Amino acid sequence: MTSVPLVSVFSADDSSKVTAKHIPLPAVFQTPIRPDIVSFVHTNIAKNRRQAHAVNPQAGMQHSAESWGTGRAVARIPRVSGSGTHRSGQAAFGNQCRKGRMSLPIKVWRRWHRRVNIKQKRHAAATAVAATGIVPLVLARGHRISQVPQIPLVVEDKIESYEKTTDALNFLKRFGAFEDVQKVVSTKVVRAGISKQRGKKYRVRKGPLVVYFNENAKLLKAFRNVPGVEVVNVTRLNLLQLAPGGQLGRFVIWTQSAFAHLDKLFGTYRYTSIIKDGYQLLRPLITNPDLARIINSNQVQEKVQPAKTTKVLHEVQKKNPLKNSKAMDRLNPYAKKQRAAAVAAIKANTKGTKKIKKNKALKKASRAAYNKVAASLNDATKAAVQEEQDIKVKYFSVQKGAAQTE
Amino acid sequence: MSQQVLWEVVKGNNAFLVKRNGLTLSTDPFNNTGVQTYSSTGFISKNAVGVVSTSGKVNQINNINLVTKKSTKFQQADRKAKNTQSVYASTLAVKHGVHTASRVIRKRFGTSRVGLQRAALRKLVKLNRANAVRRRNELAAAKAQKK
C-alpha cells in the first residue's frame, strides 16, 4: 500500500470531537494475519500459568498386599493381607483395581511450562495487535461494536487520569463500548464442574481491553471493577489478552500515547524495533491477498484465454422425432412449416361448412325416428320368436309352454 | 482486508457460527441465506447488504431493517449521518413498501454477485410478506378490541 491509512484520536469527554484528525496507523497494524502462529504460541503460553499439582505418591499403595501366586484359582494381582475385614483378600495396587493406585501417577515434576521462541512470541503479539484493527475479526470474536465510532479506537490520554469507576463507565458509554460490557454482565454464568469449589464460581466473558502508556496512570483502579474490562500497559501487551482463547480480534481501546508507542515497540517495515531489540515485523508472503481483484484485473484478463463453454454434443435422452415435434424440427427444419400447412389446409376445407346447430326440434325428431326404428325392430324380433314357437307347436307336437329338450 | 484471508481466520470459529444437526449455520446479520459459506458470509466482505427483521413497535408498518456494509478504508463512523451509523454498517429502516429497499440491494450488487442479490431480495420479500400477515392480524385485533 502506498497510502498509509489514517486514524483519528477522539476526545475523552465527547465522542463526536476529534482531537487529532489524522494520525498514521502504526506499522504493526499492517502485519499479515497469521492465525497459525497465534494458535501455536497461545496454546503453549497458556500453559505457563499452571501451578504444579500431583497425586499423593502413596495413594493406593498403603497396603502390604502380596500376590497369592498361582494355584489358588484367583487372578495373580496383589491382594490385601490380613483377615477380619472385607478388604482382606481384595485386589490392590493395580490401576485396574478398586482402590488401587492410578497408572502413571502425576508427578510434580511434570513439565508444566513451555518455552516458545521469542521471535514467534513477538510475531504472534504483532498479529494479534493487527487483528484488533480489523472490524470483521473483532465482530467474529463476538464483541458488540456497532456503536463504536472507530476501529482501532484511540482516545486522548485524559482517560489515564480517571480515578472513579463512574468516570470509566461514562467513558465507555460515550464510546459505544458499554454494549460490550453489558454483554459480559448478561452472560455471566455459574461454571460447570468442580472449579466452582475451587474459587472459579463464574465464567465471565472478555470485554474491552484498555491499553495505556504512562506508568503513573490511575485508570487501572477506575476500570478494574467494570466487569469484563481489562487494563494493560502497552509495554506489557499480553497475547493471552489480545487473543483470548487463541481467537484473534479483541476489542481494544488505545490511549494516544500508547498508540504512538507501538511504532517504537514493534518497529516498522523501514526500521527494526528499538525496544524489542532487532525485531523486524513479519513480511507478508503476498502483498495483495485479494484474489478476486487479481483475477479480475486488466493485466490478468488480457493474458487469459476466453472461458471454455461446455459444448453439448447430444442430448442425454434420445427423443423420437416422429412423436416429439421439437426433435423433428431439429432434424428437418421444414417440418414445422409442413405441419402448419396441414393445419391450414384442414381449416380451409372446413371453412364453407356451417357448424350444425343442434336445435331441440331436430333432436326431438331424430329421437322419435330412432324410437320408431327401435320399436319396429322390437316388434320384428317378437314376431319372429312367436313364429318360431308356432312352427314348433304345429310340426313337432310340442305342448305350449313346455321346455325343449333338444 | 481481503475476504479470502479473513475467511481463513473466521471459517473455523466465529461468534455467528451455529453448528446444529450436522448443519453449519450463521447468525451473521449480513448473511441472507443462513448457511455459513464463503460467499454468503457478508460480514467479511467489503460489499454486503443484510436484510434484518427488528422487533419494532406495534403498528409499525415494517419491521425490516436493511443493514448495508460500509466499505471505508479507514473505518470511522459518520456521526453526521441521519441513519444509525456504526463503524461497519449503516442501517436503513424499510418503511413503506419494499421498492426502495430492493433498489438499494440491486444497486449494491449491480450485475455482479447475482446470487447474493437474489438471496437478499428473497429474504426481503419473505420478511415483507410475514410483516403483512402480522400487520393484518394486529389490525384485526385492534378492530375487535374497539368493538
Side-chain angles (χ1 to χ4, degrees):
Chain A
M1 256 198 258
T2 46
S3 61
V4 182
L6 302 166
V7 158
S8 300
V9 180
F10 289 86
S11 152
D13 303 314
D14 189 354
S15 63
S16 57
K17 274 195 198 153
V18 170
T19 52
K21 248 244 152 142
H22 290 136
I23 288 185
L25 205 63
V28 212
F29 287 92
Q30 316 278 27
T31 316
I33 303 296
R34 292 279 246 117
D36 57 328
I37 298 182
V38 170
S39 172
F40 171 78
V41 175
H42 178 88
T43 53
N44 286 307
I45 280 187
K47 296 174 184 171
N48 291 343
R49 231 188 132 234
R50 298 193 291 187
Q51 289 184 340
H53 63 268
V55 157
N56 188 335
Q58 301 162 342
M61 296 301 281
Q62 297 186 57
H63 297 287
S64 58
E66 269 198 61
S67 170
W68 289 357
T70 51
R72 294 252 234 144
V74 290
R76 293 178 277 172
I77 192 83
R79 292 178 182 276
V80 175
S81 354
S83 59
T85 175
H86 281 288
R87 187 68 177 128
S88 44
Q90 284 182 351
F93 289 171
N95 57 295
Q96 73 269 35
C97 303
R98 181 175 174 273
K99 298 297 213 167
R101 139 220 39 81
M102 66 180 274
S103 47
L104 312 169
I106 301 176
K107 302 291 182 195
V108 203
W109 56 83
R110 171 184 280 197
R111 194 169 65 105
W112 302 103
H113 309 101
R114 298 284 181 278
R115 57 166 293 276
V116 184
N117 296 340
I118 292 178
K119 212 189 270 182
Q120 278 178 317
K121 288 193 276 191
R122 286 170 175 172
H123 286 328
T127 294
V129 170
T132 64
I134 296 172
V135 173
L137 288 180
V138 183
L139 279 176
R141 228 203 129 256
H143 290 289
R144 314 285 188 253
I145 51 168
S146 60
Q147 300 301 320
V148 176
Q150 181 189 265
I151 299 269
L153 182 59
V154 190
V155 185
E156 62 174 349
D157 288 349
K158 198 169 172 197
I159 67 165
E160 290 187 5
S161 60
Y162 282 170
E163 288 189 48
K164 301 290 258 168
T165 311
T166 32
D167 292 339
L169 276 177
N170 288 329
F171 161 76
L172 292 172
K173 282 178 188 165
R174 254 179 271 125
F175 281 89
F178 195 65
E179 211 186 330
D180 213 23
V181 173
Q182 280 174 319
K183 169 201 86 178
V184 170
V185 171
S186 65
T187 54
K188 186 173 174 186
V189 213
V190 170
R191 193 185 291 260
I194 279 255
S195 294
K196 269 196 291 298
Q197 302 164 17
R198 297 178 180 171
K200 293 184 195 167
K201 186 172 182 192
Y202 296 106
R203 271 182 57 175
V204 177
R205 305 263 184 102
K206 299 272 182 196
L209 177 71
V210 182
V211 183
Y212 66 97
F213 179 55
N214 298 310
E215 286 295 353
N216 299 322
K218 294 172 187 143
L219 58 67
L220 171 65
K221 286 204 179 164
F223 279 99
R224 70 182 178 190
N225 206 24
V226 183
V229 176
E230 286 176 335
V231 180
V232 79
N233 189 307
V234 212
T235 52
R236 292 186 286 277
L237 280 173
N238 189 353
L239 182 71
L240 301 173
Q241 288 175 327
L242 288 170
Q247 187 77 359
L248 291 165
R250 181 91 186 257
F251 171 33
V252 180
I253 303 172
W254 308 88
T255 58
Q256 188 172 6
S257 37
F259 202 66
H261 192 68
L262 283 173
D263 254 349
K264 290 203 195 87
L265 243 189
F266 287 98
T268 69
Y269 284 109
R270 287 186 109 199
Y271 53 86
T272 58
S273 164
I274 303 163
I275 295 168
K276 298 184 198 290
D277 193 21
Y279 172 67
Q280 170 65 67
L281 283 170
L282 209 58
R283 288 185 194 277
L285 278 176
I286 312 174
T287 46
N288 179 16
D290 197 344
L291 257 188
R293 194 148 170 244
I294 292 171
I295 293 171
N296 292 326
S297 69
N298 284 329
Q299 294 95 315
V300 171
Q301 289 297 319
E302 270 174 20
K303 302 289 181 193
V304 145
Q305 289 192 350
K308 283 185 189 166
T309 50
T310 45
K311 237 185 175 182
V312 179
L313 295 172
H314 61 81
E315 53 194 7
V316 181
Q317 186 181 49
K318 182 175 191 262
K319 303 280 183 189
N320 185 1
L322 296 175
K323 289 192 185 170
N324 189 319
S325 54
K326 278 195 180 152
M328 186 53 148
D329 292 342
R330 246 177 274 145
L331 291 171
N332 175 16
Y334 189 63
K336 199 172 185 185
K337 282 202 173 165
Q338 280 181 318
R339 265 182 273 127
V343 169
I346 294 169
K347 254 201 175 162
N349 278 334
T350 56
K351 199 176 184 184
T353 54
K354 261 187 170 179
K355 194 176 180 186
I356 299 171
K357 258 191 174 178
K358 290 188 180 164
N359 50 20
K360 281 192 180 166
L362 206 63
K363 244 188 173 173
K364 212 175 181 182
S366 67
R367 186 152 281 276
Y370 172 75
N371 287 336
K372 206 176 177 188
V373 172
S376 65
L377 272 176
N378 238 350
D379 294 336
T381 351
K382 270 192 186 161
V385 168
Q386 187 61 42
E387 198 186 313
E388 201 191 318
Q389 285 273 32
D390 291 341
I391 290 170
K392 284 196 181 127
V393 165
K394 200 176 183 183
Y395 290 106
F396 296 102
S397 316
V398 173
Q399 283 189 332
K400 268 197 180 170
Q404 284 275 18
T405 46
E406 282 182 329
Chain B
M1 196 68 226
S2 160
Q3 192 179 358
Q4 254 95 16
V5 177
L6 286 175
W7 175 246
E8 291 302 316
V9 182
V10 144
K11 68 180 178 185
N13 193 15
N14 63 72
F16 307 111
L17 180 62
V18 173
K19 282 190 180 176
R20 263 185 207 151
N21 294 331
L23 299 168
T24 311
L25 306 173
S26 176
T27 50
D28 171 20
F30 294 102
N31 188 336
N32 290 316
T33 60
V35 183
Q36 176 170 293
T37 56
Y38 169 75
S39 50
S40 69
T41 305
F43 79 96
I44 56 172
S45 72
K46 290 198 181 92
N47 211 15
V49 184
V51 182
V52 177
S53 76
T54 57
S55 52
K57 308 163 203 167
V58 185
N59 288 328
Q60 191 178 321
I61 292 175
N62 249 333
N63 284 345
I64 313 175
N65 271 356
L66 266 194
V67 190
T68 42
K69 194 123 201 295
K70 293 165 64 175
S71 52
T72 43
K73 245 190 189 171
F74 105 93
Q75 292 145 336
Q76 189 171 44
D78 183 6
R79 292 264 136 159
K80 291 178 194 167
K82 267 191 197 174
N83 304 322
T84 38
Q85 297 279 7
S86 76
V87 197
Y88 57 92
S90 29
T91 320
L92 312 158
V94 176
K95 279 187 207 160
H96 304 289
V98 148
H99 295 288
T100 5
S102 66
R103 210 174 270 150
V104 170
I105 293 171
R106 270 180 240 268
K107 198 177 180 191
R108 264 281 156 152
F109 291 117
T111 46
S112 61
R113 317 313 304 273
V114 180
L116 296 179
Q117 183 188 36
R118 289 222 185 95
L121 289 171
R122 198 177 301 134
K123 191 168 179 190
L124 183 66
V125 165
K126 289 202 170 166
L127 280 183
N128 197 41
R129 285 202 191 129
N131 262 307
V133 171
R134 176 191 60 85
R135 183 131 172 85
R136 208 185 306 134
N137 291 339
E138 275 176 7
L139 287 173
K143 259 191 186 175
Q145 266 196 346
K146 275 187 185 173
K147 283 180 186 170

